Amino acid sequence: MPKIFAKENPVTRIPVAGSWICWFFMSIPAFMLDLEQITKVISCGNLLTYSFVTACGLALRFRERET
């Protein structure tokens, strides 16, 4: 990771530069896509995330039984 993502606000301890960079790159598609497309992408991302978490949970459960 670049060093710019490590710079924090001394009071709030929030990575301000990283937050602004992420905001900038996420705002571009948000302004270009309509709300229906954005909700479909978010739904697919959530489904993929939950699928990975479930698969990892199953893998860990069966891995513990082997040892």
Side-chain angles (χ1 to χ4, degrees), residues 40-65:
K40 287 180 182 179
V41 170
I42 290 171
S43 296
C44 290
N46 285 337
L47 179 62
L48 188 64
T49 302
Y50 291 135
S51 299
F52 281 147
V53 169
T54 303
C56 291
L58 287 171
L60 285 174
R61 177 173 288 193
F62 287 117
R63 183 177 175 188
E64 289 177 0
R65 289 184 182 177

Side-chain angles (χ1 to χ4, degrees), residues 20-33 38:
W20 278 106
I21 291 170
C22 290
W23 174 83
F24 177 74
F25 285 112
M26 292 298 113
S27 65
I28 293 171
F31 286 125
M32 292 183 181
L33 299 173
I38 292 173

